[in-house]
């Protein structure tokens, strides 16, 4: 009797625990209760953790994001970019292949941090992605928008070939596009280049800057005012290219772009400084000294100019001393003969 009573109580206790477990919401169920339905079909749910600012991410944009993907009941992400100091810029529709992720990104603004729950049809489907993602898995993504660039207009000018080299539309076709549109494209390319430069990806930065200069060079100018506008857009590109070539240990190319900048603005101190840097790397100290003296006359208290000028003067003096020593030994040898 007592044994039967014990088993009856034990079964009742187990039954109560099972019902309690069934009534306790799962982690994802708890999240759903405070999330918004993005599409209205329950497939993509969103919670804003930290608001962003500015306009939302446009279609065909290139985004710079940190993201982490989680399975339910897992405290470790199956993929993440948070360990990367410089996450790569990703193009919507090309590099972002998860449907829910792209839909979610289009609702976000710069600086925003948000969580998303994706149903399988917006994530990895009924098959999953073995061995990391099981079949028909609901996925949690945490996403932060660091920056984005509206590269849709760039796509109208540039077409990518299979070997990832950019091809340019015919010159006459470019000339029919409003100048303001062209300048927006150039500005976007320059921003891409700046992003790559800041990540020390100098070859990629150079490619972006050169694309922008080629687009401007292919444009047929209609007036003196348009020419002036084009030169204003070209000047920072030449300066950026000059600095990039210095980072790539190509001082002669750096000198070429520095001089192109001076053709537009002969008094530009950055261009004079770049040329001085290039000549310094080429060990042509007298030429470097000339450019830097001119730059110093325009900005006498610029520490970068003054420090490089002192370095050039020391190297120039050492070079002259070595030459004198070589000539002295040469003459002593001739006298001995």
């Amino acid at each position: 009797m007592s044994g039967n009573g014990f088993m009856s109580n034990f079964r009742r206790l187990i039954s109560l625990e099972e019902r309690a477990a069934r009534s306790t919401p799962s982690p994802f169920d708890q999240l759903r209760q405070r999330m918004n339905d993005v599409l209205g079909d329950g497939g993509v749910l969103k919670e804003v953790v930290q608001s962003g600012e500015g306009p939302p991410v446009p279609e065909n944009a290139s985004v710079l994001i940190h993201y982490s993907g989680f399975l339910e009941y897992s405290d470790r992400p199956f993929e993440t970019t948070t360990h990367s100091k410089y996450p790569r810029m990703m193009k919507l529709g090309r590099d972002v292949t998860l449907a829910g992720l792209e839909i979610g990104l289009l609702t976000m603004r710069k600086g925003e941090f948000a969580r998303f729950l994706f149903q399988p049809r917006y994530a990895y489907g009924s098959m999953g992605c073995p061995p990391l993602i099981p079949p028909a898995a609901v996925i949690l993504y945490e996403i932060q928008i660091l920056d984005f660039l509206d590269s849709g207009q760039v796509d109208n000018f540039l077409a990518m070939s299979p070997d990832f080299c950019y091809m340019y539309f015919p010159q006459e076709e470019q000339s029919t596009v409003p100048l303001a549109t062209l300048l927006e494209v150039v500005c976007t390319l320059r921003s891409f280049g700046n992003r790559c430069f800041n990540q020390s990806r100098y070859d990629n930065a150079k490619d972006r800057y050169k694309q922008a200069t080629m687009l401007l060079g292919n444009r047929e100018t209609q007036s003196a005012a348009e020419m002036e506008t084009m030169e204003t857009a070209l000047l920072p590109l030449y300066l950026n290219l000059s600095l990039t070539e210095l980072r790539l240990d190509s001082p002669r190319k750096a000198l070429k772009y520095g001089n192109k900048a001076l053709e537009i603005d002969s008094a530009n101190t950055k261009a004079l400084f770049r040329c001085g840097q290039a000549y310094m790397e080429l060990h042509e100290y007298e030429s470097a000294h000339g450019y830097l003296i001119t730059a110093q006359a325009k900005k006498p208290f610029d520490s970068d100019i003054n420090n490089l000028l002192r370095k050039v003067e020391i190297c120039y003096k050492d070079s002259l001393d070595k030459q004198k020593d070589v000539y002295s030994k040469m003459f002593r040898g001739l006298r001995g003969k």
Side-chain angles (χ1 to χ4, degrees), residues 55 70 78 88 92 98 109 140 142-143 159 164 177 195 231 235 244 246 276 281 297 318 322 327:
F70 297 87
F78 58 82
R88 69 187 182 95
L92 296 184
L98 210 65
R109 304 171 190 274
L140 168 68
E142 295 183 340
I143 307 171
F164 297 98
V177 176
R195 175 69 63 180
E231 288 182 341
L235 180 59
T244 303
L246 285 169
E281 295 296 324
D318 289 345
K322 287 178 182 178
Y327 291 145

Side-chain angles (χ1 to χ4, degrees), residues 267-316:
N268 189 281
T269 51
K270 282 188 178 181
L272 291 165
F273 182 69
R274 297 280 182 268
C275 290
Q277 287 178 296
Y279 275 123
M280 173 71 181
E281 295 296 324
L282 292 167
H283 306 294
E284 298 182 24
Y285 304 119
E286 191 171 0
S287 296
H289 188 268
Y291 277 96
L292 292 171
I293 283 292
T294 305
Q296 187 189 52
K298 300 180 182 302
K299 287 190 175 181
F301 303 110
D302 188 292
S303 59
D304 290 333
I305 295 173
N306 291 332
N307 289 338
L308 185 58
L309 188 55
R310 280 193 291 271
K311 186 177 180 181
V312 166
E313 288 171 345
I314 292 170
C315 290
Y316 190 28

Side-chain angles (χ1 to χ4, degrees), residues 127-168:
M127 301 294 291
C129 187
L132 293 177
I133 312 298
V138 178
I139 302 298
L140 168 68
Y141 264 87
E142 295 183 340
I143 307 171
Q144 182 182 15
I145 295 277
L146 303 177
D147 200 2
F148 66 84
L149 295 170
D150 187 356
S151 53
Q153 287 181 315
V154 176
D155 296 337
N156 294 330
F157 279 80
L158 305 176
M160 189 173 283
S161 68
D163 61 354
F164 297 98
C165 292
Y166 284 99
M167 308 296 291
Y168 295 92

